[in-house]
Amino acid sequence: MPQQSSAQVTAAEISRIAGVTRATVSNWRRRYDDFPEPSGGAESSPLYDLETVRTWLASRGYASAASPAEELRTTLRLSSHGTGDGEDGGTADLLLLVLAAARRTPDQLTAAARLPDPELAVRAERDAAGVADAVPGGGGVRFAGTDAAVLRALYVCVRDEGGQATLGVLAERELEDSAASGAYRTPAPLADLLARLLPGAPARVLDPACGSGALLEAAARRGAAELYGQDVLPVQARRSAVSLLLTAPPGTTVSVRAADSLRADAFPDLTADAVLCNPPFGDRDWGYDELAYDPRWAYGVPARAESELAWVQHSLAHLTPGGHAALLLPPATAGRASGRRVRAELVRSGALRAVVALPVGASVPFHIGLQIWILQRPEPGGGERKSVLFVDTAESSAADARTDARTGPRTRGGSRSASLDWARITGQALDAWHAFAADPDAFEDEPGVARAVDVVDLLDETVDLTPTRLVRASRADVDPAKLAAEADATRRNLVKAAKSLGRAAGYDDWDAAGGSAREWRTATAADLARGGALTLLRTTPEGARGRGDDDGADKGGRGAGAARPVFTGSDISRGSGPTGDPATVRTDTAPVIAAGDVLVRAVASGGGGAMALVVGEAEAGALLGPHVHLFRPDPARLDAWFLAGFLGAEDNIAGASTGSTVLNVSPGRLRVPLLPLEEQRRYGEAFRRVHELRAEAGRATRLAEETARLLSGGLTGGQLLPSARETAAGATAVRGRGPGSDSPH
């Protein structure tokens, strides 16, 4: 690896190291004569000597802003121990080292990071070799003294940010270098829903397109004792294996392989209790030509354009009789003409049990509403299955508006992709599925949400299994009087919300700053934490500490008890109370949230939504969920609303984040103005008013959408009639128009 003195960094990397925006770096270049001169690159994209830059930043108090994850990213880019599958093992060696390091205590990791370069390489090689058998392609680990910078950064990252965060840095590095596409992690709430749709507690679970292992992790949280995964990308298989070994309970069997599941099944003799899968979509090169006579196609040979139906049958082939599979599929799979015959056979045989439609934005690709297919391998001599369940959860936002209409404003803003109410989506899907699975013949349709459709009604010329189309057919059963009452109640709440919005918008207690924007001295959150002005807390990632390590108790208070709700990033963006599942965190170590705490989302997507909130008395006592940073200010030194307003500012988030479409926020790099407490409180009151405006606007918007939906649906569904009074008034107005009126004719 090149010596640190010859390493070069871009202006963007300087901004991440310093915890400032790129514009600030450009400003430094213009304002300060002593700013380092470029040491390479082009005029439009200069490169700077890393050590020279660090020395300059240290002289101005910016040297400590980079997070351990960012330090690891930068060091990896400058390292010769890169990615790939060459003789040196590349990232495979480093992934093994993450697994080994995550089993050490923080003190042991600190001691390892302080070793001289040659001794550090020997120590890391020994650690990684000790777990080599657990990861695909993990043999022959080799490190040298020139790798010391990367090894040191890795040990520190595991110690401070956990094994999972370190895995993410390594995986994104190799995925970038391999130009792999379509590799996305299934969102945790969706992975949890898929796992919970599996009846009972399956012990042996397979994911034939496991990616980073999110679905198998969810299965492990539900009690699965044997986890089998396969992925075509070696880096994803390795990452999945390490992640599962970090998070799964002791004694869990983990077996992950790297290969194409359809062409080279790594588990040809495995029969699993359940299969979970989020397969690649729209893959025309899935093996149609060479697999035409494959015995897995018991329900018909999938067309070249129907790779998803190949994955469906691959999953069924790996199930024990009576075993269930849950697959995440694009909506085209339910209605595309080329898949009609296979769909018909899946329905006719009883293998397809349910299809659940998800709202737009549930997972990549975010612009379409994906579907969950629940399948069950028929049992020899089993009973006839006469119906298929269809659930449409795409109306979750409307249901959320109905709840807000009854309970008052709770939202702090949000967007379509960031504000999904996963608690409601999960509840709708699970309630309908569990009731149907218990007794399909006794299942009672829920108009607009769930409907059991007879098999004979599905086997028409198109075999279209789109839930929205089939569920809407039951809306004619809605009671007209009930719908009219609901529409009227929602409309009245909309009027109240509009008045509240008007009052919130009427606050105008702010003035122009003068001829130019105000400037102030700032400090990073990390500096404020070191000075005792605030405390930074996070949920301890699985594997961040060695097994049995018990020194993670937090002064802020950590609580056990699965009954406590969990605050998630979606709750922050949507502004709801805590809705997360306690199964997603370690309830024995997760921080307990207190009133006055400031929560900041750890991931910012292009969809928007609030980035920060101040916890109120009603929300206190919940657990801190994953992907959320907790800032606990000293009230004698920091005002909570002031802190939340500046921490969640768009420019601040951008300057403290890495990534492009999805930004990963480094909490210690967020900057806060240094102002007297009395002045902070004035700013805090203004931010609180802005929060109220956003909350009322969000509530009014959702109520307006819900009112329009109810009225439109009632008119077109026959439950509501146009008012005779409105019709008469409209006719009078038309007759009253003279020759000079603005007639549309």
Side-chain angles (χ1 to χ4, degrees):
M1 184 181 73
Q3 295 299 313
Q4 290 283 25
S5 59
S6 64
Q8 294 177 315
V9 292
T10 65
E13 287 170 326
I14 295 175
S15 71
R16 292 195 290 267
I17 292 172
V20 298
T21 64
R22 298 184 188 183
T24 300
V25 176
S26 297
N27 189 41
W28 287 344
R29 293 167 58 189
R30 291 191 301 269
R31 290 180 57 187
Y32 299 113
D33 294 335
D34 62 340
F35 189 83
E37 293 291 331
S39 59
E43 184 176 350
S44 59
S45 56
L47 296 174
Y48 302 86
D49 180 82
L50 176 60
E51 286 305 309
T52 303
V53 167
R54 280 178 167 158
T55 300
W56 188 88
L57 290 173
S59 69
R60 297 181 179 274
Y62 287 101
S64 62
S67 67
E70 187 54 44
E71 287 282 1
L72 179 57
R73 283 190 185 92
T74 301
T75 309
L76 280 169
R77 190 186 71 78
L78 303 173
S79 171
S80 62
H81 195 95
T83 62
D85 297 313
E87 292 181 359
D88 69 348
T91 304
D93 297 353
L94 298 177
L95 288 171
L96 283 170
L97 186 57
V98 172
L99 177 59
R103 296 177 176 178
R104 306 296 184 187
T105 67
D107 289 342
Q108 290 173 330
L109 295 175
T110 299
R114 292 174 178 171
L115 291 172
D117 291 0
E119 294 181 29
L120 175 60
V122 172
R123 167 67 178 272
E125 189 172 303
R126 184 175 68 248
D127 285 351
V131 295
D133 294 340
V135 178
V141 180
R142 294 289 183 273
F143 293 121
T146 52
D147 298 318
V150 170
L151 302 176
R152 192 167 285 112
L154 186 147
Y155 276 123
V156 171
C157 192
V158 172
R159 181 196 66 192
D160 293 351
E161 301 201 26
Q164 292 288 11
T166 310
L167 281 182
V169 174
L170 297 178
E172 72 185 30
R173 167 74 172 165
E174 183 159 337
L175 288 171
E176 288 173 0
D177 286 358
S178 64
S181 61
Y184 305 100
R185 185 173 178 85
T186 305
L190 179 54
D192 185 63
L193 171 57
L194 285 160
R196 294 175 69 181
L197 286 168
L198 300 175
R204 180 180 299 177
V205 180
L206 166 70
D207 184 349
C210 62
S212 58
L215 294 179
L216 290 175
E217 289 176 21
R221 291 194 294 269
R222 308 301 300 176
E226 298 180 35
L227 306 174
Y228 299 88
Q230 185 170 347
D231 198 271
V232 68
L233 295 177
V235 62
Q236 291 288 71
R238 295 166 187 156
R239 179 186 181 186
S240 181
V242 174
S243 180
L244 290 170
L245 289 167
L246 289 176
T247 59
T252 303
T253 298
V254 175
S255 181
V256 181
R257 301 289 181 265
D260 185 333
S261 288
L262 296 182
R263 287 189 173 94
D265 189 354
F267 306 101
D269 300 322
L270 174 67
T271 54
D273 301 318
V275 174
L276 293 171
C277 190
N278 180 0
F281 302 158
D283 181 13
R284 299 182 68 87
D285 186 28
W286 58 269
Y288 172 79
D289 294 324
E290 60 262 48
L291 298 175
Y293 300 101
D294 196 286
R296 287 173 291 184
W297 315 146
Y299 303 89
V301 179
R304 189 183 299 276
E306 296 291 346
S307 62
E308 295 84 7
L309 292 177
W311 286 101
V312 165
Q313 295 192 73
H314 175 83
S315 299
L316 284 167
H318 272 290
L319 288 172
T320 59
H324 286 78
L327 282 78
L328 185 66
L329 301 174
T333 309
R336 204 159 36 203
S338 55
R340 181 182 65 84
R341 291 188 178 181
V342 175
R343 290 197 303 272
E345 192 55 35
L346 289 169
V347 171
R348 185 180 292 112
S349 66
L352 180 66
R353 302 301 314 281
V355 181
V356 179
L358 298 171
V360 170
S363 184
V364 175
F366 291 113
H367 64 284
I368 63 175
L370 301 175
Q371 297 173 358
I372 299 173
W373 283 32
I374 304 174
L375 303 115
Q376 183 178 20
R377 182 167 181 172
E379 300 175 83
E384 180 184 7
R385 293 166 185 166
K386 302 176 182 179
S387 59
V388 178
L389 174 68
F390 295 90
V391 183
D392 183 7
T393 68
E395 298 294 342
S396 294
S397 59
D400 192 33
R402 288 195 292 272
T403 298
D404 281 343
R406 293 190 296 269
T407 62
R410 296 173 62 193
T411 183
R412 298 175 174 87
S415 67
R416 182 185 66 186
S417 62
S419 63
L420 294 182
D421 186 347
W422 279 107
R424 188 171 299 281
I425 294 168
T426 300
Q428 286 182 332
L430 292 178
D431 289 349
W433 167 239
H434 290 161
F436 177 81
D439 191 347
D441 295 333
F443 181 80
E444 295 184 4
D445 297 347
E446 183 179 352
V449 177
R451 183 187 180 201
V453 181
D454 290 342
V455 167
V456 67
D457 293 331
L458 296 172
L459 297 176
D460 55 16
E461 293 183 356
T462 61
V463 196
D464 189 340
L465 306 178
T466 303
T468 301
R469 180 183 70 87
L470 295 164
V471 169
R472 281 180 179 170
S474 68
R475 292 177 183 172
D477 299 331
V478 176
D479 179 56
K482 181 179 179 181
L483 179 60
E486 184 178 4
D488 187 61
T490 306
R491 182 191 60 79
R492 291 177 184 275
N493 279 285
L494 172 59
V495 173
K496 293 179 182 177
K499 292 179 180 179
S500 297
L501 176 59
R503 288 192 296 270
Y507 177 78
D508 59 356
D509 193 13
W510 34 58
D511 302 310
S516 61
R518 182 180 182 183
E519 295 185 3
W520 37 54
R521 191 163 58 96
T522 64
T524 65
D527 290 335
L528 293 173
R530 281 191 288 270
L534 60 81
T535 302
L536 277 169
L537 300 175
R538 62 181 175 85
T539 295
T540 304
E542 293 286 351
R545 302 183 183 275
R547 293 190 184 278
D549 181 39
D550 199 26
D551 67 350
D554 197 291
K555 295 179 181 180
R558 297 182 186 255
R564 294 181 185 269
V566 174
F567 241 118
T568 68
S570 295
D571 295 331
I572 296 173
S573 64
R574 187 175 59 249
S576 69
T579 64
D581 186 351
T584 62
V585 300
R586 291 174 54 181
T587 55
D588 59 330
T589 59
V592 177
I593 297 170
D597 285 347
V598 177
L599 306 184
V600 177
R601 288 161 52 196
V603 178
S605 65
M611 284 299 301
L613 66 79
V614 177
V615 176
E617 293 289 348
E619 296 132 337
L623 298 179
L624 185 68
H627 311 303
V628 178
H629 302 304
L630 188 154
F631 298 76
R632 180 164 292 161
D634 178 354
R637 300 172 64 180
L638 284 173
D639 179 81
W641 280 106
F642 162 82
L643 183 63
F646 279 100
L647 290 179
E650 183 177 352
D651 289 345
N652 205 4
I653 293 294
S657 303
T658 58
S660 53
T661 303
V662 176
L663 303 179
N664 296 292
V665 181
S666 299
R669 293 168 53 194
L670 292 168
R671 307 194 75 86
V672 181
L674 299 177
L675 299 177
L677 184 59
E678 189 59 35
E679 191 171 5
Q680 289 182 37
R681 288 170 177 161
R682 291 199 297 270
Y683 272 94
E685 175 61 18
F687 282 126
R688 189 184 66 80
R689 296 280 189 169
V690 172
H691 150 70
E692 290 181 356
L693 176 63
R694 176 182 288 152
E696 294 297 344
R699 182 176 178 236
T701 297
R702 288 196 310 281
L703 282 168
E705 292 175 351
E706 173 65 357
T707 302
R709 187 191 71 85
L710 288 170
L711 294 174
S712 177
L715 290 169
T716 58
Q719 291 90 359
L720 298 179
L721 297 175
S723 170
R725 297 186 302 276
E726 294 294 334
T727 303
T732 300
V734 171
R735 287 195 299 270
R737 292 193 183 120
S741 63
D742 295 328
S743 172
H745 301 292

